[in-house]
Amino acid sequence: MVDSRLSNFRALPPSERLEAIVRAVELNDDERQALARPGALALDRADGMIENVIGTFELPMGVAANFQVNGRDVLVPMAVEEPSVVAAASYMAKLARDCGGFETSSTEPVMRAQIQILGLTDPQGARLALLRQKDRIRTLANSRDKILVELGGGCRDIEVHIFAETPRGPMAVVHLIVDVRDAMGANTVNTMAEAVAPLIEEITGGSVRLRILSNLADLRLARARVRLTPEALATRERSGAEIIEGILDAWAFAAVDPYRAATHNKGIMNGIDPVVVATGNDWRAIEAGAHAYAARGGRYTSLTAWEKDASGALVGSIEMPMAMGLVGGATKTHPLARVALKIMGVRSAQELGEIAVAVGLAQNLGALRALATEGIQRGHMALHARNIALTAGATGAEVDAIARRMAEEKDVRTDRALALLKALREQA
């Protein structure tokens, strides 16, 4: 059974961290080698994934520790270039696990395909005609993916939305409501939409234009909740109750002001996107769905909610679209995506989405806690100092020595790193 606490993990060199993960989740030799060597994505495989390939581009992959989701310990691979993301998620997960960890849930993996119809003189009549022929449309859509239907998925329903006034005249839009099971679902729903387009033209007498999925996957939601006591949040400088009040004030700012909400939600996606990338999923689709969902009420606002319960504990929650897949696309073709999924031990696309939003909630907690206490830069810049040391030309042990000195001085700048490097080498 996996223990996500990974004792002393941060202090180990990368090779020993890898061996600890290999032992923890029983990776085989091929999986170990895929993580150990650069260029795990072979050029010929990359050439089959996209067009005009000239090489590959790598990101650091780390593992967030301490996560406990619905009572199960989870190691979370994260592919990201920004310092402090993995550390913040791991530390917040450590605080959360002492209070019971994260509780998650999700809806069924249902996606929407949209079919645009123009040239209608009676859009409301067209809507009723389409609804009368719903079973016929659904049957035709499902004929395009019989394997999905056998797995328990497929087109379940249709909706018809009418826009009486648009720059191009009256418009009807059919939504195919499709259960895509463990796929992200884009190819599936797009194929179905194209298949039923001629039938829709026959029924309505209109002209079909666009036939494509919507990334506002508002029927495919993942949710996470965490509860932390004042004792769990207390520091040497501040009481837990004081920190909770600061977090609530910071959240309220994002809840009412879209300028703050944009940065607040970016911090949430700092946690979610690296999980999406590491597992070969479409982070652009997740981002689009997240921000559209944040504005669904007509005003852009926070994706999370933070409250204080009757006992004085801090309670955080998140609910957002999460169109993640375990099959198809880079999730299947990228060797490290397969390893990442094995490390997480997920059994369904829904579970993967739930873990991702738990990480997003943890990341949001870390940012709000920092903002409510010492400010965002103290911890972030201490970790960013390593990047600055590398930029200045430091190598090996020089990196840690210069980063530590700049963090102590609270002066993390490239010119300071250059000066420290020069002094260090002259001394040597």
Side-chain angles (χ1 to χ4, degrees):
M1 192 171 183
V2 172
D3 183 349
S4 68
R5 285 172 290 190
L6 298 179
S7 179
N8 202 40
F9 194 66
R10 185 178 176 183
L12 299 175
S15 60
E16 292 183 28
R17 290 190 200 122
L18 174 57
E19 294 308 320
I21 296 298
V22 168
R23 291 191 298 271
V25 299
E26 299 180 354
L27 297 180
N28 61 39
D29 288 343
D30 288 342
E31 292 163 338
R32 180 189 173 280
Q33 285 299 317
L35 285 166
R37 67 175 183 266
L41 179 62
L43 198 59
D44 59 346
R45 180 165 292 197
D47 192 43
M49 293 171 68
I50 66 166
E51 307 75 35
N52 298 347
V53 167
I54 60 169
T56 59
F57 182 90
E58 292 188 310
L59 287 172
M61 181 184 281
V63 176
N66 303 314
F67 274 88
Q68 193 173 75
V69 181
N70 294 337
R72 182 174 80 87
D73 276 33
V74 181
L75 298 172
V76 185
M78 302 177 74
V80 64
E81 86 295 342
E82 184 172 338
S84 79
V85 168
V86 179
S90 298
Y91 186 50
M92 293 304 104
K94 182 179 180 181
L95 298 184
R97 76 177 291 130
D98 292 336
C99 299
F102 296 87
E103 300 172 357
T104 66
S105 64
S106 56
T107 61
E108 293 293 305
V110 173
M111 299 291 287
R112 296 177 184 266
Q114 294 185 292
I115 303 158
Q116 177 196 30
I117 315 164
L118 295 173
L120 298 172
T121 56
D122 59 339
Q124 293 295 342
R127 175 178 177 272
L128 295 181
L130 287 164
L131 293 175
R132 281 196 303 271
Q133 298 285 341
K134 176 174 67 174
D135 290 343
R136 190 178 169 199
I137 295 169
R138 195 171 47 135
T139 299
L140 178 56
N142 284 332
S143 72
R144 307 303 298 170
D145 199 331
K146 293 180 180 179
I147 293 176
L148 178 64
V149 174
E150 290 172 1
L151 292 172
C155 182
R156 291 187 170 176
D157 201 356
I158 73 163
E159 297 175 355
V160 184
H161 300 259
I162 299 299
F163 301 93
E165 295 182 10
T166 83
R168 300 294 289 172
M171 184 185 302
V173 181
V174 176
H175 286 198
L176 301 182
I177 309 301
V178 184
D179 184 332
V180 297
R181 297 287 85 197
D182 280 330
M184 182 273 178
N187 289 332
T188 296
V189 299
N190 288 342
T191 299
M192 289 183 175
E194 292 183 359
V196 302
L199 175 58
I200 286 174
E201 288 185 331
E202 175 190 322
I203 294 169
T204 63
S207 299
V208 167
R209 294 290 190 262
L210 270 62
R211 298 144 291 169
I212 192 166
L213 88 160
S214 170
N215 286 125
L216 177 51
D218 59 352
L219 298 176
R220 191 177 188 177
L221 303 175
R223 313 178 187 96
R225 177 184 181 275
V226 68
R227 178 182 179 276
L228 297 106
T229 62
E231 293 76 19
L233 289 165
T235 66
R236 282 176 294 190
E237 296 86 12
R238 292 176 176 83
S239 70
E242 181 184 358
I243 290 173
I244 287 172
E245 293 302 318
I247 288 172
L248 293 175
D249 289 341
W251 168 76
F253 185 7
V256 300
D257 179 21
Y259 292 95
R260 170 63 201 141
T263 310
H264 175 96
N265 289 342
K266 187 269 182 183
I268 294 169
M269 302 313 291
N270 273 352
I272 292 172
D273 282 347
V275 181
V276 180
V277 172
T279 57
N281 274 279
D282 186 348
W283 61 268
R284 299 160 305 278
I286 299 296
E287 283 274 350
H291 298 298
Y293 195 72
R296 67 194 183 281
R299 180 178 57 85
Y300 188 83
T301 187
S302 168
L303 285 165
T304 55
W306 292 92
E307 307 164 297
K308 185 169 63 174
D309 69 13
S311 70
L314 179 69
V315 180
S317 59
I318 184 171
E319 178 184 71
M320 59 177 282
M322 193 53 57
M324 298 273 268
L326 295 186
V327 297
T331 306
K332 275 290 189 185
T333 56
H334 200 304
L336 288 186
R338 305 308 303 167
V339 175
L341 290 169
K342 182 172 180 177
I343 290 171
M344 296 175 78
V346 293
R347 296 171 292 275
S348 69
Q350 286 173 261
E351 185 182 14
L352 176 58
E354 291 173 15
I355 292 170
V357 294
V359 178
L361 186 60
Q363 199 73 32
N364 186 224
L365 173 62
L368 293 178
R369 179 178 175 274
L371 287 165
T373 53
E374 74 268 13
I376 202 71
Q377 286 297 81
R378 178 177 167 185
H380 178 75
M381 291 305 288
L383 292 166
H384 185 54
R386 289 177 55 83
N387 272 347
I388 298 299
L390 286 167
T391 301
T395 60
E398 294 172 339
V399 176
D400 283 333
I402 292 171
R404 185 166 54 251
R405 180 70 178 273
M406 288 192 295
E408 289 169 354
E409 296 174 350
K410 299 181 181 178
D411 188 12
V412 182
R413 295 177 291 115
T414 302
D415 56 344
R416 181 56 181 152
L418 286 167
L420 290 171
L421 179 61
K422 181 180 178 183
L424 188 64
R425 289 179 173 174
E426 287 176 351
Q427 184 180 21

